[in-house]
mmCIF file of all heavy atoms in Angstrom:
data_model
loop_
_atom_site.group_PDB
_atom_site.id
_atom_site.type_symbol
_atom_site.label_atom_id
_atom_site.label_comp_id
_atom_site.label_asym_id
_atom_site.label_seq_id
_atom_site.Cartn_x
_atom_site.Cartn_y
_atom_site.Cartn_z
ATOM 1 N N PRO A 252 191.274 132.052 -6.614
ATOM 2 C CA PRO A 252 191.681 130.691 -6.983
ATOM 3 C C PRO A 252 191.119 130.296 -8.342
ATOM 4 O O PRO A 252 189.992 130.655 -8.700
ATOM 5 C CB PRO A 252 191.074 129.836 -5.861
ATOM 6 C CG PRO A 252 190.917 130.771 -4.710
ATOM 7 C CD PRO A 252 190.608 132.101 -5.303
ATOM 8 N N VAL A 280 187.761 140.680 -8.340
ATOM 9 C CA VAL A 280 187.331 140.296 -9.683
ATOM 10 C C VAL A 280 187.123 141.558 -10.506
ATOM 11 O O VAL A 280 186.561 142.543 -10.018
ATOM 12 C CB VAL A 280 186.020 139.483 -9.640
ATOM 13 C CG1 VAL A 280 185.563 139.117 -11.046
ATOM 14 C CG2 VAL A 280 186.184 138.224 -8.806
ATOM 15 N N LEU A 283 184.122 143.649 -16.540
ATOM 16 C CA LEU A 283 184.412 144.103 -17.897
ATOM 17 C C LEU A 283 183.146 144.570 -18.586
ATOM 18 O O LEU A 283 182.076 143.994 -18.397
ATOM 19 C CB LEU A 283 185.030 142.960 -18.710
ATOM 20 C CG LEU A 283 186.309 142.325 -18.145
ATOM 21 C CD1 LEU A 283 186.706 141.125 -18.993
ATOM 22 C CD2 LEU A 283 187.432 143.344 -18.088
ATOM 23 N N GLU A 298 183.480 136.727 3.725
ATOM 24 C CA GLU A 298 182.512 135.696 3.403
ATOM 25 C C GLU A 298 182.374 135.476 1.895
ATOM 26 O O GLU A 298 181.565 134.667 1.456
ATOM 27 C CB GLU A 298 181.150 136.054 3.996
ATOM 28 C CG GLU A 298 181.137 136.079 5.527
ATOM 29 C CD GLU A 298 179.782 136.433 6.084
ATOM 30 O OE1 GLU A 298 178.898 136.853 5.290
ATOM 31 O OE2 GLU A 298 179.582 136.280 7.292
ATOM 32 N N ALA A 353 156.234 134.456 -30.843
ATOM 33 C CA ALA A 353 157.596 134.734 -30.396
ATOM 34 C C ALA A 353 158.513 133.530 -30.545
ATOM 35 O O ALA A 353 159.685 133.670 -30.880
ATOM 36 C CB ALA A 353 157.581 135.201 -28.942
ATOM 37 N N ASP A 392 151.635 118.878 -15.702
ATOM 38 C CA ASP A 392 150.582 117.980 -16.185
ATOM 39 C C ASP A 392 149.345 118.817 -16.523
ATOM 40 O O ASP A 392 149.452 120.016 -16.717
ATOM 41 C CB ASP A 392 150.291 116.897 -15.137
ATOM 42 C CG ASP A 392 150.019 117.507 -13.773
ATOM 43 O OD1 ASP A 392 148.913 118.042 -13.572
ATOM 44 O OD2 ASP A 392 150.919 117.461 -12.899
ATOM 45 N N LEU A 407 149.058 137.998 -9.437
ATOM 46 C CA LEU A 407 149.088 138.765 -10.681
ATOM 47 C C LEU A 407 148.350 140.090 -10.522
ATOM 48 O O LEU A 407 148.804 141.136 -11.017
ATOM 49 C CB LEU A 407 148.491 137.949 -11.820
ATOM 50 C CG LEU A 407 149.333 136.766 -12.318
ATOM 51 C CD1 LEU A 407 148.531 135.910 -13.293
ATOM 52 C CD2 LEU A 407 150.623 137.256 -12.980
ATOM 53 N N GLN A 413 150.765 147.225 -8.484
ATOM 54 C CA GLN A 413 152.003 147.857 -8.034
ATOM 55 C C GLN A 413 152.805 148.460 -9.187
ATOM 56 O O GLN A 413 153.449 149.501 -9.034
ATOM 57 C CB GLN A 413 152.851 146.837 -7.271
ATOM 58 C CG GLN A 413 152.269 146.463 -5.921
ATOM 59 C CD GLN A 413 152.686 145.073 -5.450
ATOM 60 O OE1 GLN A 413 153.374 144.342 -6.157
ATOM 61 N NE2 GLN A 413 152.244 144.696 -4.258
ATOM 62 N N GLU A 427 145.662 141.100 -17.815
ATOM 63 C CA GLU A 427 145.006 140.289 -18.843
ATOM 64 C C GLU A 427 145.201 138.799 -18.558
ATOM 65 O O GLU A 427 144.288 138.002 -18.754
ATOM 66 C CB GLU A 427 145.567 140.637 -20.224
ATOM 67 C CG GLU A 427 145.051 141.942 -20.791
ATOM 68 C CD GLU A 427 143.565 141.899 -21.097
ATOM 69 O OE1 GLU A 427 143.068 140.833 -21.516
ATOM 70 O OE2 GLU A 427 142.903 142.928 -20.913
ATOM 71 N N ASP A 477 138.836 126.075 -0.342
ATOM 72 C CA ASP A 477 138.909 126.522 -1.727
ATOM 73 C C ASP A 477 137.829 127.559 -2.027
ATOM 74 O O ASP A 477 138.069 128.527 -2.753
ATOM 75 C CB ASP A 477 138.787 125.335 -2.666
ATOM 76 C CG ASP A 477 140.010 124.446 -2.633
ATOM 77 O OD1 ASP A 477 141.126 124.949 -2.861
ATOM 78 O OD2 ASP A 477 139.869 123.245 -2.356
ATOM 79 N N ARG A 490 137.121 144.791 -6.933
ATOM 80 C CA ARG A 490 137.558 146.117 -6.485
ATOM 81 C C ARG A 490 138.553 146.715 -7.475
ATOM 82 O O ARG A 490 138.468 147.897 -7.824
ATOM 83 C CB ARG A 490 138.191 145.989 -5.092
ATOM 84 C CG ARG A 490 138.695 147.304 -4.509
ATOM 85 C CD ARG A 490 138.916 147.200 -3.011
ATOM 86 N NE ARG A 490 139.918 146.222 -2.654
ATOM 87 C CZ ARG A 490 141.134 146.517 -2.179
ATOM 88 N NH1 ARG A 490 141.486 147.776 -2.040
ATOM 89 N NH2 ARG A 490 141.972 145.563 -1.844
ATOM 90 N N ARG A 502 130.012 140.985 -11.950
ATOM 91 C CA ARG A 502 129.836 139.529 -11.961
ATOM 92 C C ARG A 502 130.733 138.858 -10.927
ATOM 93 O O ARG A 502 130.303 137.945 -10.214
ATOM 94 C CB ARG A 502 130.142 138.969 -13.358
ATOM 95 C CG ARG A 502 129.152 139.353 -14.431
ATOM 96 C CD ARG A 502 129.284 138.452 -15.652
ATOM 97 N NE ARG A 502 130.635 138.462 -16.206
ATOM 98 C CZ ARG A 502 131.062 139.334 -17.112
ATOM 99 N NH1 ARG A 502 130.251 140.288 -17.553
ATOM 100 N NH2 ARG A 502 132.289 139.259 -17.591
ATOM 101 N N ARG A 525 137.758 111.920 -1.424
ATOM 102 C CA ARG A 525 137.964 110.484 -1.326
ATOM 103 C C ARG A 525 139.348 110.159 -1.863
ATOM 104 O O ARG A 525 139.882 110.888 -2.713
ATOM 105 C CB ARG A 525 136.911 109.719 -2.140
ATOM 106 C CG ARG A 525 135.494 109.882 -1.620
ATOM 107 C CD ARG A 525 134.514 109.132 -2.498
ATOM 108 N NE ARG A 525 133.130 109.401 -2.114
ATOM 109 C CZ ARG A 525 132.067 108.962 -2.786
ATOM 110 N NH1 ARG A 525 132.250 108.215 -3.883
ATOM 111 N NH2 ARG A 525 130.847 109.260 -2.383
ATOM 112 N N MET A 592 148.015 137.964 2.492
ATOM 113 C CA MET A 592 147.545 138.971 1.547
ATOM 114 C C MET A 592 146.411 139.790 2.145
ATOM 115 O O MET A 592 146.353 141.012 1.972
ATOM 116 C CB MET A 592 147.113 138.338 0.223
ATOM 117 C CG MET A 592 146.712 139.382 -0.813
ATOM 118 S SD MET A 592 146.676 138.777 -2.514
ATOM 119 C CE MET A 592 148.427 138.648 -2.892
ATOM 120 N N GLU A 599 147.316 148.303 4.265
ATOM 121 C CA GLU A 599 147.350 149.338 3.238
ATOM 122 C C GLU A 599 146.128 150.251 3.327
ATOM 123 O O GLU A 599 146.234 151.467 3.181
ATOM 124 C CB GLU A 599 147.432 148.683 1.862
ATOM 125 C CG GLU A 599 147.583 149.657 0.715
ATOM 126 C CD GLU A 599 147.664 148.945 -0.618
ATOM 127 O OE1 GLU A 599 147.681 147.698 -0.637
ATOM 128 O OE2 GLU A 599 147.708 149.633 -1.643
ATOM 129 N N GLN A 609 148.161 145.811 15.321
ATOM 130 C CA GLN A 609 148.380 144.386 15.581
ATOM 131 C C GLN A 609 149.081 143.707 14.404
ATOM 132 O O GLN A 609 150.029 142.932 14.581
ATOM 133 C CB GLN A 609 147.040 143.698 15.848
ATOM 134 C CG GLN A 609 146.388 144.090 17.165
ATOM 135 C CD GLN A 609 144.980 143.510 17.300
ATOM 136 O OE1 GLN A 609 144.188 143.529 16.366
ATOM 137 N NE2 GLN A 609 144.683 142.975 18.476
ATOM 138 N N LEU A 610 148.631 144.029 13.195
ATOM 139 C CA LEU A 610 149.205 143.386 12.019
ATOM 140 C C LEU A 610 150.631 143.867 11.761
ATOM 141 O O LEU A 610 151.495 143.075 11.363
ATOM 142 C CB LEU A 610 148.323 143.646 10.799
ATOM 143 C CG LEU A 610 146.963 142.941 10.832
ATOM 144 C CD1 LEU A 610 146.080 143.432 9.689
ATOM 145 C CD2 LEU A 610 147.130 141.421 10.758
ATOM 146 N N ARG A 613 152.971 142.005 14.096
ATOM 147 C CA ARG A 613 153.150 140.609 13.711
ATOM 148 C C ARG A 613 153.969 140.479 12.427
ATOM 149 O O ARG A 613 154.790 139.562 12.292
ATOM 150 C CB ARG A 613 151.785 139.935 13.560
ATOM 151 C CG ARG A 613 151.072 139.818 14.904
ATOM 152 C CD ARG A 613 149.611 139.430 14.803
ATOM 153 N NE ARG A 613 148.935 139.681 16.076
ATOM 154 C CZ ARG A 613 147.675 139.425 16.331
ATOM 155 N NH1 ARG A 613 146.914 138.885 15.384
ATOM 156 N NH2 ARG A 613 147.149 139.693 17.510
ATOM 157 N N ASP A 627 172.256 134.527 8.575
ATOM 158 C CA ASP A 627 172.989 133.336 9.016
ATOM 159 C C ASP A 627 173.284 132.383 7.869
ATOM 160 O O ASP A 627 174.016 131.413 8.045
ATOM 161 C CB ASP A 627 172.171 132.581 10.079
ATOM 162 C CG ASP A 627 172.224 133.262 11.437
ATOM 163 O OD1 ASP A 627 173.106 134.128 11.634
ATOM 164 O OD2 ASP A 627 171.374 132.936 12.290
ATOM 165 N N ILE A 638 162.027 122.032 0.776
ATOM 166 C CA ILE A 638 161.057 120.976 0.516
ATOM 167 C C ILE A 638 160.439 121.240 -0.856
ATOM 168 O O ILE A 638 160.921 122.081 -1.611
ATOM 169 C CB ILE A 638 159.978 120.941 1.623
ATOM 170 C CG1 ILE A 638 159.257 122.305 1.706
ATOM 171 C CG2 ILE A 638 160.594 120.582 2.967
ATOM 172 C CD1 ILE A 638 158.092 122.331 2.661
ATOM 173 N N VAL A 744 161.535 118.369 -8.091
ATOM 174 C CA VAL A 744 162.405 119.548 -8.081
ATOM 175 C C VAL A 744 162.340 120.339 -9.375
ATOM 176 O O VAL A 744 162.636 121.532 -9.399
ATOM 177 C CB VAL A 744 163.882 119.169 -7.808
ATOM 178 C CG1 VAL A 744 164.025 118.457 -6.481
ATOM 179 C CG2 VAL A 744 164.483 118.341 -8.941
ATOM 180 N N GLY A 757 155.494 138.377 -8.408
ATOM 181 C CA GLY A 757 155.173 139.264 -7.302
ATOM 182 C C GLY A 757 156.405 139.901 -6.694
ATOM 183 O O GLY A 757 156.413 141.097 -6.369
#
Side-chain angles (χ1 to χ4, degrees):
V280 179
L283 303 174
E298 295 180 350
D392 52 76
L407 289 171
Q413 290 154 357
E427 284 294 325
D477 290 305
R490 180 163 62 109
R502 292 197 303 272
R525 295 178 187 174
M592 184 162 286
E599 185 180 356
Q609 290 173 317
L610 291 171
R613 293 168 195 182
D627 284 345
I638 58 174
V744 301

